[in-house]
Amino acid sequence: MQYRHSGTSRRTLLAATAGAAAALTAGAGPAHADADGAADANAGSGQDDRLKALISRMSLEEKVGQLFVMRVYGHSATEPDQADIDANLKEIGVRTAAELIAEYRVGGIIYFAWAHNTRDPHQIADLSNGIQEAGLSLPGGLPLLISTDQEHGIVARVGKPATLLPGAMALGARGSRSDARRAAQIAGAELRAMGIRQNYAPVADVNVNPANPVIGVRSFGADPEAVAGLVAAQVKGYQSADIAATSKHFPGHGDTETDSHYGFPVIEHTTEQWGQLDAPPFRAAIAAGIDSIMTAHIMVPALDPSGDPATLSHPILTGILREQLGYDGVVVTDSLGMAGVRQKYGDDRVPVLALKAGVDQLLNPPSLDTAWNAVLNAVKGGELTEARLDESILRILRLKAKLGLFTDPYVSHEGVHRTVGTDAHLAAADRIAEETTTLLVNEQGLLPLSRLTHKNVLVVGADPASPSGTTGPPTAVLAGALSELGFSATALSTGTAPSQAKTDEAVAAARGKDAVVVGTYNVSATSSQRSLVDALIATGVPVVAVAIRNPYDVAQLPGVGACVAAYSWTDVELRAAARVIAGRAQPEGRLPVPVQRTDDPSQVLYPIGYGLSY
């Protein structure tokens, strides 16, 4: 179903909700973020009274459904491809998004690229409209809160031709709150145009552990106050675009060597350390009027010695987040399919314990049928009260009202065309990316490369799967960008773990070149990427390293002529790195994390704030 305009959406909604939404929208309107991003006192008691009246007319089954945010396969709410129908039947027991909504009355849907939800902006808008139509056509139907992870940088679900912006650590390298806010405004406006109204960003974790496998460049940096300022700026940016921002992952996922997707991390910070390192960005987000906060599947013994993950911890979510920090917005779990929340309890217990801990939205359980019935039976059996569900549903409906979903839930193709991937947005992304690129090494003034003395360039290195629907692979993007800038550049992919044969091929290709640019990706002391760089240096050809993910790579690359940190291998950041290498842009970024010596991690090689200039 395609909507060319939203003129009929209000009539559809009012009819579908049998007057309930009409009563809601009468009188005081929904709260909207003011210029500083703060909500107008939840639109006052009048709106709450109307929302409570709406809740009172919901069946228990409808209430349970409102708590869930679920994945679903397919590009269309009603006519997905057969392979997606098969996947839905296997994992959820329904054929389509419309059937999922009718069967479980879920309150939200989360979009993923791998679920084929995000082919292109116009298709996404049609899918969003189809989902809203499916919800509103039911008796007592409600609009859905559609969400995704569009952090930018290395994590994004919507790719080109939407605007892809520098990620958090790149923004941290720039350190500009106005740039961070502008990036979020652009991202939020484009998501809203496609019908996505809740974004699981910004990341509020403080990345103090270089070995962190799951956060890393998704964090703004290692300085809690700097991270706090950028988190607040992005919250205001997103919410000024009428998008619900979500700071994550509470109480802080920045100091772990375990990925909670695959294991159960333990954070050994003391209460005092937590207050100094992890808490400031979440405090700043709350002060900025954050709409939602996502939990972490981590154990923090100092905050809760029970051994439960924070997602299931009453002392952490109610005692600290609600009571100590004074937060009364929506709390959403991280995905309930992740190992970090499934190791101690079964999938039937996790959603019940999460609600008892203080959660409002239950995100993406591995089996919706198991989780949905577990919550239903917990209420029927007295473990959960219906009043407890009502508390969370009121927060969820407040947010839907604030976002205008009760008055205008649909989007238009005209809005997509006017907003998504515009020249102005793309130009802003390029400008911001240029200012984040960080020059860490520049021996004998090798950079900027001169087209007169270093015209023939070989680009080699890691080609990880291109994130965010960007063009890729990184070596080809860098070579193409340098060629456009007047160099004669060729690309040779050597991979994240180059073999000896591939290294020999790269060395042979480097002979006769004026310079080699090598893209590195999370280099370790035992990585064959390091052997590749050493072999290239031994040829005598000048070597420029571009750290295309973690800036910590520079510590593993002694002897390179120059090293640039790009913080991501998305096109926008690689093109910016090429312009810096070519001298078309100044390297203005400064390290937002310290880089430690490889032989003595207690010693800092490059401190926070380090960065060279031309």
Side-chain angles (χ1 to χ4, degrees):
M1 180 178 296
Q2 296 186 356
Y3 295 85
R4 296 298 193 274
H5 57 83
S6 60
T8 61
S9 62
R10 183 185 294 267
R11 294 194 296 275
T12 303
L13 176 59
L14 297 184
T17 55
L24 174 68
T25 57
H32 289 282
D34 61 23
D36 293 322
D40 295 330
N42 283 329
S45 60
Q47 177 178 278
D48 271 9
D49 289 343
R50 290 186 288 274
L51 291 174
K52 290 174 182 177
L54 184 58
I55 294 168
S56 72
R57 292 191 287 272
M58 296 167 64
S59 68
L60 177 57
E61 289 77 10
E62 289 169 340
K63 290 180 178 182
V64 171
Q66 275 297 301
L67 304 173
F68 284 94
V69 180
M70 189 59 183
R71 70 189 179 280
V72 66
Y73 290 86
H75 71 287
S76 164
T78 54
E79 298 179 353
D81 294 340
Q82 186 60 48
D84 293 322
I85 291 174
D86 294 342
N88 285 328
L89 286 170
K90 180 179 179 181
E91 293 187 19
I92 315 173
V94 298
R95 293 166 50 85
T96 67
E99 289 183 13
L100 164 67
I101 295 162
E103 178 72 18
Y104 291 100
R105 304 299 288 263
V106 293
I109 297 286
I110 179 174
Y111 286 171
F112 292 103
W114 53 258
H116 309 139
N117 304 138
T118 57
R119 290 181 179 177
D120 66 75
H122 287 280
Q123 166 269 318
I124 296 169
D126 286 338
L127 174 59
S128 298
N129 285 336
I131 284 170
Q132 298 296 0
E133 175 73 10
L136 294 168
S137 65
L138 298 170
L142 293 170
L144 282 87
L145 192 52
I146 298 172
S147 60
T148 199
D149 294 280
Q150 192 78 351
E151 297 173 14
H152 290 272
I154 70 169
V155 175
R157 311 306 186 198
V158 180
K160 293 175 68 176
T163 304
L164 293 163
L165 293 132
M169 192 170 286
L171 293 172
R174 173 58 174 159
S176 166
R177 296 182 184 183
S178 62
D179 277 357
R181 180 168 180 163
R182 177 60 179 150
Q185 286 173 329
I186 291 170
E190 295 199 3
L191 289 176
R192 191 186 191 285
M194 293 179 277
I196 300 169
R197 305 300 293 273
Q198 183 178 20
N199 190 21
Y200 298 136
V203 171
D205 304 315
V206 181
N207 200 73
V208 295
N209 189 338
N212 193 326
V214 64
I215 304 302
V217 292
R218 297 167 64 196
S219 163
F220 290 105
D223 179 270
E225 294 308 319
V227 173
L230 293 169
V231 165
Q234 289 229 298
V235 169
K236 293 173 182 177
Y238 280 118
Q239 295 184 184
S240 70
D242 280 342
I243 288 289
T246 308
S247 58
K248 60 186 185 185
H249 309 79
F250 189 82
H253 209 317
D255 189 6
T256 174
E257 296 183 14
T258 301
D259 185 340
S260 53
H261 291 85
Y262 310 108
F264 187 17
V266 179
I267 307 293
E268 298 290 359
H269 290 180
T270 65
T271 302
E272 291 73 24
Q273 287 173 322
W274 176 81
Q276 294 169 359
L277 289 174
D278 303 292
F282 292 101
R283 292 184 186 276
I286 292 168
I290 186 78
D291 282 327
S292 50
I293 290 177
M294 180 178 284
T295 68
H297 304 324
I298 58 174
M299 186 197 312
V300 189
L303 304 183
D304 180 359
S306 70
D308 286 345
T311 298
L312 310 181
S313 169
H314 189 273
I316 291 175
L317 297 187
T318 297
I320 295 177
L321 182 57
R322 296 283 192 210
E323 297 173 358
Q324 182 178 320
L325 300 186
Y327 178 67
D328 192 37
V330 171
V331 174
V332 57
T333 70
D334 206 341
S335 170
L336 297 182
M338 293 167 58
V341 78
R342 301 177 71 191
Q343 290 193 356
K344 187 175 179 181
Y345 301 100
D347 291 339
D348 59 334
R349 294 298 300 152
V350 166
V352 175
L353 294 173
L355 290 168
K356 292 176 74 171
V359 157
D360 301 307
Q361 288 184 307
L362 301 162
L363 178 62
N364 202 25
S367 168
L368 179 58
D369 190 65
T370 297
W372 190 91
N373 279 293
V375 174
L376 182 70
N377 292 331
V379 177
K380 290 181 176 179
E383 184 178 6
L384 287 170
T385 65
E386 199 163 344
R388 169 65 192 88
L389 267 57
D390 292 351
E391 291 177 15
S392 287
I393 296 167
L394 179 59
R395 292 191 186 101
I396 293 166
L397 294 186
R398 277 176 182 160
L399 182 53
K400 291 182 179 183
K402 176 186 175 184
L403 297 173
L405 286 168
F406 282 101
T407 56
D408 193 8
Y410 298 120
V411 293
S412 69
H413 286 282
E414 179 186 349
V416 171
H417 180 74
R418 188 174 58 245
T419 308
V420 179
T422 64
D423 289 345
H425 286 179
L426 294 172
D430 282 337
R431 176 191 62 78
I432 293 170
E434 275 184 4
E435 296 171 352
T436 69
T437 306
T438 307
L439 179 61
L440 299 174
V441 175
N442 194 20
E443 297 295 339
Q444 298 179 338
L446 174 60
L447 297 185
L449 286 182
S450 167
R451 287 174 295 168
L452 299 177
T453 58
H454 296 85
K455 184 176 180 64
N456 294 311
V457 178
L458 173 69
V459 179
V460 302
D463 273 337
S466 182
S468 316
T470 56
T471 304
T475 52
V477 173
L478 280 169
L482 288 169
S483 294
E484 290 175 5
L485 294 168
F487 293 86
S488 177
T490 56
L492 172 64
S493 175
T494 50
T496 55
S499 64
Q500 186 60 52
K502 186 59 72 173
T503 296
D504 292 343
E505 183 183 358
V507 167
R511 292 195 176 99
K513 299 294 185 182
D514 298 319
V516 177
V517 174
V518 54
T520 65
Y521 182 94
N522 294 4
V523 182
S524 68
T526 58
S527 171
S528 56
Q529 291 182 70
R530 182 169 179 172
S531 301
L532 168 70
V533 174
D534 289 342
L536 291 169
I537 292 170
T539 67
V541 178
V543 174
V544 179
V546 180
I548 64 173
R549 185 167 178 166
N550 289 333
Y552 310 113
D553 285 5
V554 66
Q556 300 286 354
L557 305 173
V560 294
C563 184
V564 169
Y567 305 101
S568 174
W569 61 105
T570 52
D571 294 1
V572 68
E573 290 175 274
L574 293 175
R575 290 196 307 265
R579 291 195 295 276
V580 167
I581 290 170
R584 298 296 183 88
Q586 292 293 315
E588 297 184 29
R590 298 294 180 262
L591 278 175
V593 294
V595 175
Q596 297 152 327
R597 292 174 59 109
T598 57
D599 57 347
D600 183 3
S602 67
Q603 298 297 312
V604 173
L605 190 62
Y606 301 106
I608 290 176
Y610 181 86
L612 303 175
S613 302
Y614 293 153

